[in-house]
Amino acid sequence: MSGGGRHRRRVRVALPVAAAGVAAAVAAALLTSSAGAATALPQPTADPAISSPSPAELKKRVAGALAGDDTAGRPHRSSLSKSTGAGSTTTGTGSVIDAKIIGGSTTTITSAPWMAQLHYYDDRGTSRTSDDIGFFCGGAVVAPTKILTAAHCVKGYDWHANGAIVTGTAQLPSDGGADLHGGTVSGVWRQWNHPSYNATTIDNDIAVLTLPGPVKATPIRMTTSGDTASYAAGKSAKVYGWGRTSSTSQDVSETLKAATLPLQSDATCARTYGADFVKGHMVCAGKPAAGTDSGTTSACNGDSGGPLVVNNRIVGVVSWGVRDCVEKGAYSVFAKVSSYVGAAYARVDDTNINGDHRADLWVRKSSTTTGYSKNSKGSSFAARESWGSWKGVNAVLQTDLNRDGYQDLVYRRSSDGAVFWTRYVISSGTWSTKRIFDNWKTRTRIVAPGDVTGDYLPDLLSVDSAGVLWIYPGKGNGTFSARVKVGSGWNQYNSVHGRGDFNGDGKTDLIARHKSTGAMYLYKGTGKAGTGAFSGRVKVRTWSTKTYNTFDTVGDISGDGKADFLARTPGGTLYLYKGTGKATSGIFAARISVGTDFKQYDIFG
């Protein structure tokens, strides 16, 4: 891509998020059994660490990032030539990888509405400027509050304290960050990078940033784990970014650029980069660089974290390349999204109560009808926090129907089966409750598993009295399209649960227990609606009611990117089964006891 003045890079951020979770001090009554309607829900207590910076502070971070000249993650690669150590990783003399698009063309935000600018600036709290950190990366909006980017742009940096995200514009900010050219600037609530990211090898280079509120930008989806067609050698893909446009200048593009690159085979990439190219984790694209700007089309410095797109799906994330991006024979290298969609998707749908990347537990005490939340500590749960009385309710589900990053609750009233959705409204700082279904009293199962239909919008499922499983496709705002029939025979199960992806393919699954045999079956999601929503069941365990009498699925409790499972014994011991991502009897790791006093609870979220 061409043109543009010099922009240094830095950013320092944080944004509004008062509603991350409900505080322990909240004790207002939530529901009444006689009126059957929710009273005013408790006001979440804002965590001071999540408070929003002022617009002036955000612009300061953008300005600092634009003025910076640091490189995110400092990934380095040496010469291509195997005879001179091709593919070996260097520590100071190799090429600094910071993507750019050379040889591309100007594009518009209409053509790529999901593009995001990631500005990072940390002044280090000193009067000196020499120790400031400032850089810029690209990213893509994959859900209203989620940005997919590269781990080397995230790992080791405090994006909550020092980051700013600009969406909705094809132009880089100007006038010291004051002019966003119609874009919107947001802070960062929380960050996640792949737990196996290696800064030395730049392997597992995938990350997700969560914003404190939804942006208006239209999201783009990631490809699926089973996608091989998009990676066929010669397949055309597009890369987007604002990075460097010449190997001889540090100037970046003021305007969003795009370039079309042919995908290369793993064999070609490995011949070029040797052991530095990790088959299955990486993909390379482009024609062999010419050694000069002329005749080269490549990602380069400043494009890091940006998307490589095929058929309007992200198939790669800009990861690394070679010095100045045009070394003869070089290709641009991307993290292979099909290999990471399972872990990344868990972060796209990782809403929980206290706002970290671990799914929390919601329970109701049977003797008092008091609801409690217990925050995950990874392999255990913290002390419970009261949510007040939940009298008159016989089902509560933890979910996020509007994908705003804040945990919602869906509950069913015992008296008439009416189903309600209660959510925190960020703009007003209040709770809102809406009746979403009537007469669900005879539904034998209600499940809030996340996105079943593959549109990245959370759905609801129910089993009716005849044993028919229905999908209610969510519209992302608490409303639903017409229900779609999956199939009959689901009353053979005395438990149907799901929250997330159990086999690591980035699609939402279900786990059901047969009421007579105790066999536990995994129903792998396909990302489709109707009768094809789930593939044939796979037996993964046998657990009778004498072994466990209650199950719960709340998502990724451990924070490793895999959905986990909770099971309670009749005696009240609750066990955590961490997911392994395997669709076999090895679906769960060895159980871990997370408490022996869970017999007192009659509803699990």
Side-chain angles (χ1 to χ4, degrees):
M1 302 180 178
S2 63
R6 171 72 181 277
H7 290 276
R8 299 189 47 179
R9 323 206 167 214
R10 292 172 186 181
V11 128
R12 167 183 183 173
V13 156
L15 203 59
V17 236
V22 175
V26 173
L30 301 185
L31 306 168
T32 60
S33 58
S34 57
T39 60
L41 290 171
Q43 170 74 34
T45 299
D47 181 344
I50 304 175
S51 59
S52 173
S54 66
E57 170 63 17
L58 288 174
K59 289 181 179 179
K60 174 185 174 184
R61 296 170 181 180
V62 171
L66 293 174
D69 56 4
D70 295 303
T71 299
R74 287 292 177 192
H76 298 279
R77 293 295 186 202
S78 63
S79 168
L80 288 176
S81 171
K82 292 184 179 179
S83 63
T84 58
S88 62
T89 300
T90 66
T91 58
T93 60
S95 53
V96 176
I97 307 315
D98 183 13
K100 69 184 171 188
I101 298 179
I102 293 175
S105 58
T106 300
T107 191
T108 65
I109 198 64
T110 303
S111 299
W114 23 261
M115 279 301 294
Q117 304 169 18
L118 281 55
H119 302 269
Y120 189 92
Y121 173 62
D122 182 3
D123 65 10
R124 312 290 285 178
T126 70
S127 58
R128 304 187 307 276
T129 59
S130 59
D131 61 349
D132 290 358
I133 298 174
F135 62 83
F136 173 89
C137 280
V141 179
V142 292
T145 62
K146 304 290 180 176
I147 308 294
L148 183 72
T149 188
H152 74 261
C153 293
V154 171
K155 176 70 171 179
Y157 302 108
D158 186 345
W159 276 89
H160 170 66
N162 303 305
I165 310 300
V166 175
T167 57
T169 179
Q171 299 293 118
L172 286 182
S174 59
D175 192 20
D179 188 352
L180 299 178
H181 301 285
T184 301
V185 63
S186 303
V188 177
W189 179 4
R190 58 188 189 265
Q191 65 190 67
W192 171 89
N193 60 263
H194 196 283
S196 298
Y197 169 64
N198 186 316
T200 301
T201 61
I202 324 178
D203 192 15
N204 305 302
D205 195 13
I206 202 93
V208 175
L209 297 178
T210 299
L211 309 182
V215 295
K216 294 181 180 179
T218 302
I220 183 173
R221 301 180 204 174
M222 295 175 281
T223 194
T224 60
S225 64
D227 180 15
T228 57
S230 295
Y231 297 98
K235 187 81 171 182
S236 290
K238 273 196 171 183
V239 62
Y240 297 82
W242 289 270
R244 285 175 59 191
T245 58
S246 171
S247 62
T248 60
S249 170
Q250 294 298 316
D251 288 354
V252 297
S253 177
E254 301 279 2
T255 304
L256 181 63
K257 301 284 186 178
T260 299
L261 307 176
L263 272 294
Q264 297 294 335
S265 68
D266 288 341
T268 296
C269 302
R271 281 196 302 270
T272 303
Y273 290 114
D276 279 350
F277 180 82
V278 182
K279 182 180 178 180
H281 292 191
M282 302 173 185
V283 61
C284 75
K287 295 180 179 179
T292 62
D293 291 353
S294 178
T296 297
T297 301
S298 172
C300 197
N301 307 68
D303 296 324
S304 278
L308 182 70
V309 177
V310 173
N311 295 328
N312 204 35
R313 295 287 181 105
I314 303 177
V315 302
V317 171
V318 178
S319 184
W320 58 271
V322 296
R323 176 173 14 223
D324 292 326
C325 317
V326 298
E327 184 174 344
K328 192 174 180 62
Y331 299 99
S332 298
V333 181
F334 305 80
K336 191 174 185 179
V337 169
S338 64
S339 297
Y340 298 107
V341 64
Y345 181 77
R347 300 284 68 84
V348 172
D349 193 24
D350 74 344
T351 303
N352 58 358
I353 293 169
N354 70 331
D356 61 12
H357 285 295
R358 298 186 295 246
D360 304 317
L361 178 63
W362 195 99
V363 291
R364 187 184 74 169
K365 188 174 181 178
S366 57
S367 62
T368 64
T369 70
T370 300
Y372 296 96
S373 62
K374 296 170 75 72
N375 293 336
S376 172
K377 297 169 68 176
S379 296
S380 62
F381 291 100
R384 68 187 188 185
E385 303 177 8
S386 175
W387 281 49
S389 175
W390 284 74
K391 186 178 181 181
V393 171
N394 60 16
V396 178
L397 304 170
Q398 299 166 228
T399 185
D400 180 20
L401 292 185
N402 61 344
R403 276 287 165 88
D404 63 357
Y406 296 90
Q407 179 119 20
D408 309 332
L409 293 179
V410 169
Y411 61 88
R412 180 173 63 182
R413 189 164 58 198
S414 306
S415 60
D416 60 0
V419 178
F420 297 87
W421 169 47
T422 185
R423 66 186 179 92
Y424 186 78
V425 181
I426 302 169
S427 59
S428 63
T430 59
W431 285 90
S432 174
T433 299
K434 176 182 178 180
R435 189 171 181 151
I436 55 176
F437 294 109
D438 292 313
N439 304 316
W440 275 28
K441 192 172 184 177
T442 60
R443 301 297 169 102
T444 60
R445 301 285 176 265
I446 304 175
V447 189
D451 167 33
V452 172
T453 60
D455 61 1
Y456 280 31
L457 299 175
D459 309 309
L460 280 181
L461 280 65
S462 76
V463 179
D464 64 22
S465 58
V468 176
L469 177 65
W470 299 92
I471 296 174
Y472 292 79
K475 295 183 179 180
N477 59 2
T479 64
F480 302 86
S481 300
R483 69 181 188 176
V484 181
K485 183 178 178 180
V486 176
S488 57
W490 285 79
N491 275 340
Q492 67 183 294
Y493 303 115
N494 58 14
S495 169
V496 179
H497 282 83
R499 178 64 174 159
D501 170 27
F502 287 100
N503 68 323
D505 64 357
K507 301 169 188 174
T508 298
D509 309 314
L510 295 179
I511 293 181
R513 178 172 68 177
H514 197 280
K515 60 185 178 183
S516 61
T517 67
M520 304 290 296
Y521 293 103
L522 168 68
Y523 281 87
K524 294 184 289 184
T526 64
K528 302 175 182 177
T531 56
F534 300 98
S535 58
R537 67 185 188 182
V538 177
K539 185 177 177 180
V540 294
R541 284 287 194 280
T542 299
W543 287 331
S544 73
T545 54
K546 293 182 179 180
T547 304
Y548 296 120
N549 62 0
T550 298
F551 299 119
D552 197 14
T553 49
V554 294
D556 178 14
I557 295 168
S558 64
D560 64 356
K562 303 179 180 69
D564 303 315
F565 200 76
L566 292 166
R568 185 188 67 179
T569 68
T573 299
L574 186 67
Y575 287 99
L576 166 63
Y577 283 88
K578 293 184 179 181
T580 63
K582 300 177 181 178
T584 65
S585 59
I587 189 172
F588 303 122
R591 69 183 188 178
I592 301 170
S593 173
V594 294
T596 59
D597 61 345
F598 283 84
K599 190 175 182 179
Q600 63 183 304
Y601 303 115
D602 63 346
I603 294 178
F604 287 72

